Amino acid sequence: MDSLSCAASDLLPLLGNSPNATAAADFICNRFTEVSTKLSHATYAIDNTYLLFSAYLVFAMQLGFAMLCAGSVRAKNTMNIMLTNVLDAAAGGISYYLFGFAFAFGAPSNGFIGRHFFGLKEFPSPSFDYSFFSLSVGFCHSCCSGSIAERTQFVAYLIYSSFLTGFVYPVVSHWFWSGDGWASAAKSDNNLLFGSGVIDFAGSGVVHMVGGIAGLWGALIEGPRIGRFDKSGRSVALRGHSASLVVLGSFLLWFGWYGFNPGSFLTILKSYGTKGDYYGQWSAVGRTAVTTTLAGSTAALTTLFGKRLLVGHWNVTDVCNGLLGGFAAITSGCSVVEPWAAIICGFIAAWILIGFNMLAEKLKYDDPLEAAQLHGGCGAWGVLFTGLFAKKAYVNEVFPNRPGRPYGLFMGGGGKLLGAQIIQILVIIGWVSATMAPLFYALHKLNLLRISSEDEMAGMDFTRHGGFAYIYHDEDENSNLPQFNMTRIEPTNTLTPDRESNTVV
């Protein structure tokens, strides 16, 4: 917001030549300065309050992820997957404080990696404050813990999560979200990639693709769960134990996405140091919420009817994953596309998720939560979608200091923005593969990655966490208190693991 300005020399002709004219002009200008200062303070307070509120919503997404993951795995691994989600928040927060934030936004710096603010030293700065850090740390969720669920040693997950959130993801953030990043859409030197830079406001590429590709490598190196495919190679469904948790978690994620996308938009503008139409930027926040809603809703409905046509029944879990696929896709261009374009985004995202799931099954790739397909596949589509449908007026509204910049190909803006978006996809795939694949391979060679076949068959809750998440019977036989006993249903046949083929015989 521009400050109100006043000069006594401008007021003197209006006050006449009275002896007190100069004093009166000074008095009026001083009052204008005070009003301008208070308005600036109010603007700062409103912006920071909104960013903090968005941070609370984003952090609530951690609970949504935890519920979604818990419901999507078998009951015998519930405590394990919940613990890994707690670890994401705790270890991610510490590693991001120590290293991640500095690597992502430590400016001034070079185009590859940040070099300041380690441990928030010399923070807050004129560019950043604690509300900015609080929102950005909320993104430190590996988002693909489900890819390696039900078979990964806890120490491996600790190493993987800390490395991803403390180094791999922050470096990518610096490339595209920092004003110093080599592919940023608002580089301080105005030397933009293809004259445009990459537009990825809420992280279809920066957040979702990074997590998706990391999870992909982990699942590939580990191999499928025992029993996921039979001896003939046919897929065997290992269904999660609670559709209720999946639905509740999905709604919490939907709720949190209203902080994730609009809050990310303002945060990235702040990291860019963008100055412009204050009203226009807040209008874009409202538009972001609308496009988010429409993309997710369309993807959910498309998945509902698409899967009904393909498999012959309605599946609530598939619908929830389709919903999240739509959200993951729209995050890149959520602020610069029309609402009708968001419907197209969600529709195609649903079919991309369905297609990648079919491909994964054919290739015998096992991802209990479809996390790599959802975050990686739909995230990549979202990056491309922005290069196709970004509207000229909205791009200029968000980046007002550089008129005439490229916008979406299908909107008449040429192919430069799309070219920048394709570069983003390629470098993210390369970077995450070059860092995470060797890490998972080293853990595998050191026998730190996968649990034993015996532990996997029994379930990690029992073998690694001291007991099951659910009480099937009362342990105190002498208790006189009213009890609600659950009957455990045991399998009627005995399964023997064949570790070489990851099947049961």
Side-chain angles (χ1 to χ4, degrees):
M1 180 177 180
D2 295 334
S3 60
L4 299 174
S5 60
C6 176
S9 58
D10 295 332
L11 295 178
L12 283 176
L14 302 175
L15 298 175
N17 296 320
S18 62
N20 296 325
T22 301
D26 288 336
F27 176 81
I28 293 172
C29 284
N30 287 336
R31 290 296 178 268
F32 264 97
T33 301
E34 292 177 6
V35 170
S36 176
T37 300
K38 291 185 179 296
L39 287 176
S40 297
H41 290 170
T43 300
Y44 179 83
I46 292 170
D47 285 350
N48 281 271
T49 299
Y50 182 80
L51 289 180
L52 285 173
F53 179 71
S54 297
Y56 307 150
L57 291 178
V58 170
F59 195 80
M61 296 176 75
Q62 299 277 6
L63 176 58
F65 274 118
M67 297 178 73
L68 176 69
C69 290
S72 298
V73 301
R74 291 166 291 180
K76 64 182 181 181
N77 295 310
T78 305
M79 287 181 64
N80 177 264
I81 196 70
M82 293 292 278
L83 185 56
T84 59
N85 276 270
V86 175
L87 175 67
D88 259 338
I94 295 298
S95 61
Y96 198 71
Y97 161 75
L98 292 174
F99 309 107
F101 187 79
F103 290 148
F105 299 108
S109 188
N110 57 52
F112 179 75
I113 193 170
R115 298 180 296 181
H116 301 279
F117 305 144
F118 290 98
L120 295 187
K121 186 179 180 180
E122 301 176 358
F123 195 85
S125 72
S127 302
F128 304 120
D129 51 38
Y130 290 113
S131 62
F132 182 90
F133 172 81
S134 298
L135 179 57
S136 58
V137 75
F139 300 148
C140 288
H141 189 291
S142 66
C143 87
C144 288
S145 58
S147 296
I148 55 176
E150 299 199 284
R151 59 203 190 274
T152 304
Q153 293 190 44
F154 190 73
V155 65
Y157 190 83
L158 177 63
I159 295 170
Y160 149 71
S161 179
S162 299
F163 184 63
L164 182 69
T165 57
F167 178 65
V168 179
Y169 153 70
V171 170
V172 178
S173 301
H174 185 78
W175 295 348
F176 307 113
W177 284 353
S178 170
D180 292 333
W182 64 270
S184 168
K187 285 185 68 177
S188 54
D189 61 5
N190 265 339
N191 184 21
L192 304 180
L193 178 66
F194 298 147
S196 168
V198 171
I199 296 179
D200 187 9
F201 284 114
S204 289
V206 174
V207 176
H208 295 284
M209 278 192 66
V210 169
I213 296 167
L216 172 68
W217 280 109
L220 284 173
I221 292 173
E222 276 193 316
R225 292 167 291 172
I226 294 173
R228 180 63 179 85
F229 301 96
D230 65 18
K231 279 289 188 178
S232 64
R234 291 176 301 180
S235 174
V236 177
L238 302 179
R239 296 186 181 278
H241 79 282
S242 177
S244 299
L245 285 176
V246 172
V247 172
L248 290 172
S250 297
F251 270 110
L252 271 173
L253 288 168
W254 191 338
F255 177 66
W257 235 288
Y258 291 124
F260 190 87
N261 280 4
S264 298
F265 165 69
L266 286 182
T267 301
I268 300 310
L269 288 188
K270 197 170 185 178
S271 72
Y272 287 160
T274 301
K275 305 293 185 182
D277 180 8
Y278 190 77
Y279 173 80
Q281 292 175 0
W282 275 100
S283 176
V285 170
R287 182 171 61 249
T288 298
V290 172
T291 58
T292 299
T293 301
L294 293 176
S297 300
T298 303
L301 292 173
T302 303
T303 304
L304 174 69
F305 291 104
K307 292 291 286 187
R308 176 67 173 81
L309 291 172
L310 291 172
V311 300
H313 61 265
W314 315 100
N315 190 309
V316 66
T317 303
D318 288 338
V319 171
C320 289
N321 281 341
L323 172 78
L324 301 180
F327 288 150
I330 195 61
T331 52
S332 174
C334 53
S335 303
V336 292
V337 299
E338 290 276 19
W340 60 262
I343 294 175
I344 297 175
C345 177
F347 178 81
I348 296 179
W351 287 109
I352 286 175
L353 180 57
I354 292 171
F356 271 114
N357 283 334
M358 295 172 66
L359 179 63
E361 187 171 310
K362 186 173 183 179
L363 297 177
K364 298 182 178 59
Y365 170 78
D366 182 24
D367 187 327
L369 272 83
E370 303 175 6
Q373 301 94 297
L374 192 160
H375 295 282
C378 295
W381 156 241
V383 173
L384 293 175
F385 164 78
T386 304
L388 297 172
F389 288 96
K391 186 177 179 180
K392 178 180 180 180
Y394 297 158
V395 171
N396 290 334
E397 180 181 79
V398 173
F399 303 105
N401 299 326
R402 189 182 174 89
R405 65 186 300 147
Y407 51 99
L409 175 65
F410 290 169
M411 308 299 286
K416 291 185 176 181
L417 175 58
L418 179 61
Q421 304 297 99
I422 292 173
I423 292 295
Q424 181 191 22
I425 293 173
L426 295 177
V427 296
I428 287 178
I429 292 173
W431 168 249
V432 179
S433 297
T435 51
M436 297 306 300
L439 174 67
F440 281 118
Y441 185 74
L443 292 172
H444 170 69
K445 285 297 184 180
L446 294 172
N447 293 321
L448 295 175
L449 185 58
R450 186 161 181 162
I451 60 175
S452 67
S453 58
E454 292 78 14
D455 286 358
E456 186 174 342
M457 291 294 292
M460 284 190 284
D461 287 2
F462 179 74
T463 60
R464 301 297 177 105
H465 302 291
F468 294 109
Y470 301 102
I471 298 176
Y472 292 93
H473 57 82
D474 179 46
E475 296 179 357
D476 186 357
E477 300 293 344
N478 299 320
S479 174
N480 295 319
L481 296 175
Q483 303 294 332
F484 177 77
N485 298 328
M486 298 178 65
T487 301
R488 183 182 302 179
I489 301 176
E490 300 289 355
T492 56
N493 59 326
T494 301
L495 300 178
T496 303
D498 181 350
R499 191 54 186 272
E500 291 186 1
S501 61
N502 286 319
T503 62
V504 292
V505 295

